[in-house]
Amino acid sequence: CHVVLVHGGWHGGWAWERLAPLLAADGLRVHAPTLTGLGARRAECSAEVGFQTHVDDVGEVIRALEPGPVTLVGHSYGCSVITAVADAMPESVAALVYVDALIPTDGVAGWHGFPPERQAQMLSGARRLGGLRVPPPDPSIWGFAPDSPVHRELRERLTPHPLKTMMDVPRITGRWRQVPHKCYLLAAGPPASRFAHHHAEVAGLPDWTAAVVPGGHETMWTHPHELATALLSCIVRERSAPRSP
């Protein structure tokens, strides 16, 4: 069973390095690509890097795998990406797992998911970086004290995010809903997740599993064991669930 982990904004494939070995130990084949212009691929950032670039990044990973559907796991911004990927190739995706994230809407840019004050801060920061990239936020917005080890780790590893990917308007037909199993894992906090309404919207739907996982927005970094347990539950359900004709 292949599992593709798609990181969030300002992160890279490194964001899963504490979680991926736990999934691999259960026999899963785990892939954690870094999206263009981020992390170890920061030098690839250009004016052309947009949302579709990242959708193509993940699509290429899936096409390179052995035949058979995969489980896509996204965190934060990465969930917009996995939704668009599944919308383009639903037959290749067995399950979608959303980790503390928005569920994108056709025609609504991810940019609009941020509060106005955050938008102003990000635009100001982007101008300082030449207009193409948004500098990473201070990890304190995710509840980490400035003198904490996690705050220092994230400050060292987060990289600017291509602005165009946030501004681009996604075109999502709804075909992603054909994916037979979908799971939403909400971070318990603190701080309280701004995505709680997405969790509430899907809880109880017949083709969704909804759960709450310990930790805040960076749960894959701070609570990898607990998140792995929750993910394995989603993936086990996918293994046994029949695919729709």
Side-chain angles (χ1 to χ4, degrees), residues 8-10 16 26 29 40-41 45 47 61 65 85-86 94 97 121 138 153 170 175 197 200 206 212 227 233 235:
W10 301 285
W16 306 103
D26 197 68
R29 286 173 283 186
R41 302 181 65 186
C45 187
V61 172
L65 300 177
V85 171
V97 184
Q121 292 169 358
D138 188 284
E153 290 166 352
R175 293 178 71 222
H197 63 289
V212 177
L227 181 57
S233 177
I235 295 166

Side-chain angles (χ1 to χ4, degrees), residues 137-157:
D138 188 284
S140 61
I141 72 165
W142 299 316
F144 302 115
D147 59 350
S148 68
V150 175
H151 188 283
R152 291 193 295 271
E153 290 166 352
L154 293 176
R155 280 293 297 270
E156 291 171 0
R157 303 189 74 169

Side-chain angles (χ1 to χ4, degrees), residues 15-135:
W16 306 103
E17 67 185 33
R18 298 180 178 182
L19 175 78
L22 304 176
L23 301 180
D26 197 68
L28 302 174
R29 286 173 283 186
V30 183
H31 314 269
T34 293
L35 301 175
T36 302
L38 289 154
R41 302 181 65 186
R42 71 190 75 180
E44 299 176 43
C45 187
S46 70
E48 288 71 43
V49 174
F51 181 69
Q52 188 60 43
T53 309
H54 290 168
V55 174
D56 292 342
D57 285 341
V58 178
E60 289 173 7
V61 172
I62 293 174
R63 284 187 287 271
L65 300 177
E66 298 173 6
V70 304
T71 293
L72 293 179
V73 179
H75 170 243
S76 197
Y77 164 77
C79 288
S80 292
V81 176
I82 67 170
T83 304
V85 171
D87 199 66
M89 47 195 308
E91 70 285 348
S92 298
V93 183
L96 290 167
V97 184
Y98 295 74
V99 181
D100 208 49
L102 60 79
I103 300 173
T105 301
D106 178 57
V108 180
W111 179 256
H112 297 297
F114 293 101
E117 61 273 15
R118 280 283 290 133
Q119 293 179 359
Q121 292 169 358
M122 290 193 293
L123 284 177
S124 175
R127 285 192 291 268
R128 292 195 299 272
L129 294 181
L132 296 182
R133 302 175 300 155
V134 178

Side-chain angles (χ1 to χ4, degrees), residues 118-203:
R118 280 283 290 133
Q119 293 179 359
Q121 292 169 358
M122 290 193 293
L123 284 177
S124 175
R127 285 192 291 268
R128 292 195 299 272
L129 294 181
L132 296 182
R133 302 175 300 155
V134 178
D138 188 284
S140 61
I141 72 165
W142 299 316
F144 302 115
D147 59 350
S148 68
V150 175
H151 188 283
R152 291 193 295 271
E153 290 166 352
L154 293 176
R155 280 293 297 270
E156 291 171 0
R157 303 189 74 169
L158 296 171
T159 51
H161 189 100
L163 177 61
K164 188 175 186 297
T165 68
M166 298 178 176
M167 297 293 194
D168 284 349
V169 175
R171 294 303 176 192
I172 299 173
T173 68
R175 293 178 71 222
W176 68 275
R177 297 185 186 279
Q178 298 173 18
V179 173
H181 185 70
K182 295 169 283 289
C183 181
Y184 195 103
L185 301 178
L186 179 72
S193 175
R194 66 186 180 94
F195 303 113
H197 63 289
H198 289 289
H199 176 265
E201 286 170 359
V202 301

